[in-house]
Amino acid sequence: MRLDKVWIVARKDMSEFKTNKYIVFSLVLMPLVMSFVLPIAYLVPITMLTGDNSNVPLDLHINITSRFEGLNVENVSVSNASFVKSNLTNVVAQSCIFENCTLTDVLARDSVLLNTTIDRSYVIRSNIEASPRTDSTLSGCVIIGETSRTVNMLKTFIDSLLMFFILVPVMIPTIIASYSFVGEKLNKSLEPLLATPTTDMELLAGKSLSIFIPSMAAAWISLVPFVVLVDLIAGPVLGYYPLPNIIWVVGSFILAPLFCLLSISTNVLVSSRVNDVRASQQIGSLIVLPLVVFFVITIAGLITLDLFYMSVFVMLIAIVDAAVVYLSLKVFRREEILIRWK
Amino acid sequence: MIETVELTKNFKEVTAVEDLTMTIKDGEVFGFIGPNGAGKTTTVRMLCCLISPSRGSAFVNGMDIAHPNDRIKIRGIIGLLPETPGLYESLSAQRNLDFFAQLYGLSSTVRDRRIKELLTTLDVWDRRNDPVAKFSKGMKQKIAIARALVHEPEILFLDEPTSGLDPQASLTVRNYLLDLKKEGRTIFLNTHNLDEAEKLCDKIGVIQRNLLALGSPEELSSKFWGKATVIEARSLTPEMVRAVESIPSVRRVDLAEGKLLVELDRPDLNNPLIVRTLVERGAEIEYVSELKHGLEDIYLKLIGGPR
Ligand SMILES: Nc1ncnc2c1ncn2[C@@H]1O[C@H](COP(=O)(O)OP(=O)(O)O)[C@@H](O)[C@H]1O
Ligand SMILES: [Mg+2]
């Protein structure tokens, strides 16, 4: 295979794409959706749900005037008191400190709760640390030394946005290939090309490369504003910048190119059988199904998206890639194209 | 030079070309004529190494169309104008040609010179930067021919270059082909335009799946009709016909509409004798001419009359 010929073909195809408004439109729109709309539309609501989750304790200005230890307190209202190893039931507490206590049916406000069991209670604007909660509601509290469920969800969610990211290098080839292969077939411009001293593989590689380059370029360029936006939105909530992380590095630099190649080769197969640009796009877009399945499984919490599962997924897609590329090479032969491509 | 030996192509149950054996010499303009579906395109595709034959063999400038290494070399020395121009409509004429020139490995200076040469000759140099989509059918066909010529191929294959063009556009294309013929290029021309073939070709092959005839237009004419002399004269009588018939080298004589059609061998030697025989019997000779059968007669005789 002569790479100079591959590159000549790729360059010619790309200069054709530049004149196609549908291709240019999708090359601009898809990354925009990816890098701006997606993080704003999905992450902002979630961060609002988690509220202020910074781990900086609230400045409560508690003046303790009385201290109690080993007490059972019921049906009273207390303020500016410190309780150690006490049980409190049906109590309203204002500006108190609880350490190693049990609170049941308590309304606590502007307080500090440490190693305290909280049951059927309502805690407002307090610092809470190492305190298990059952049937209770917190409002405006800072939980120290523990990540909340919503924060965990936010982390999972950021990783699962990877699916939308990979959609870019999967969908763009579907659009470009439909014009590049079906269009060229309808225009009958393949025959003169086939009469040149190039090998079938050089032609296929050139045409594939011409799709791969703009698709991956669009994806990777969109990655920059995406990472910045996600960090800006989720950073304050998480207390650190979530991106880039290893899942995203593997996802965008290994999995995404593999999916892009899969999409291109699948579309070569589809193009050989279809005589309509739109039909080719519709069938070609079925390629997103395995991607959707994988990420639905992760969002549903059936598996955690970690390096192990990512590697398994990469390997699976690589195997499927090899098979589909092999098939597309078999389909993209002069004789096949001229005789059987209908 | 192109040589084919029993070249055959089957598409499943259809035999498109069968036992094609012929030779086309360097510098010859070969006209391949036959009705639609006769196997012309299939033959050209085999010779251009686009599809492989089912049986038989062929050599293009001594290279074997069945040999993988030769196939790519053959594609390097031939130029093909397919049935449909198949240009990249959104690209300029210049870019279309430049792309192909690059694939043939021409350097950028050679490419620029060659493209300028071709587009100037074809009278489209001024519009070299326009997208091909804006061109008329005739202009597109010219660009497509230029594309087939951009690398100075040794052999040019043209698959029905004027079909689908209006008379003016066909004329432009045909005149250009005449120029190419003068340059001494080997041209393989598929056509069902007999007039075109007659004007352009040194050699004709008539195909309908099998090769029905092969030779120069004159050779074909004399092969199918022998030599014949037409004599136009006043006061011809049946007696004169019988007298001419009795001349030994005359094979057949026909009298119709005041014209005597004499089929014979060696007209150069026998015509004076025939004329004398007629004059002696009182005929007043107006014209003596050689009977020529046009390609159309040959074609219709081989393929069958009007359908
Ligand atoms: N891809 C194909 N599959 C099946 N039959 C074909 C194919 N291409 C050509 N044929 C058949 O081969 C015959 C010759 O076709 P073709 O070479 O295109 O004729 P021509 O160029 O002389 O009009 C026709 O009967 C045609 O139907
Ligand atoms: Mg044809």
Side-chain angles (χ1 to χ4, degrees), chain B residues 41 83 159-160:
Chain B
T41 300
E83 269 176 309
D159 200 349
E160 305 194 5

Side-chain angles (χ1 to χ4, degrees), chain A residues 245-257:
Chain A
N245 64 21
I246 186 71
I247 299 294
W248 269 82
V249 169
V250 172
S252 46
F253 293 99
I254 300 176
L255 201 53

Side-chain angles (χ1 to χ4, degrees), chain B residues 1 6 21 25 74 95 162 164 177 231 239 252 255 274 306:
Chain B
M1 188 155 97
E6 291 175 8
T21 301
K25 296 206 226 36
I74 290 173
R95 184 74 176 91
T162 57
L177 297 185
I231 299 168
E239 194 259 324
R252 211 164 75 86
L255 176 62
I274 294 168

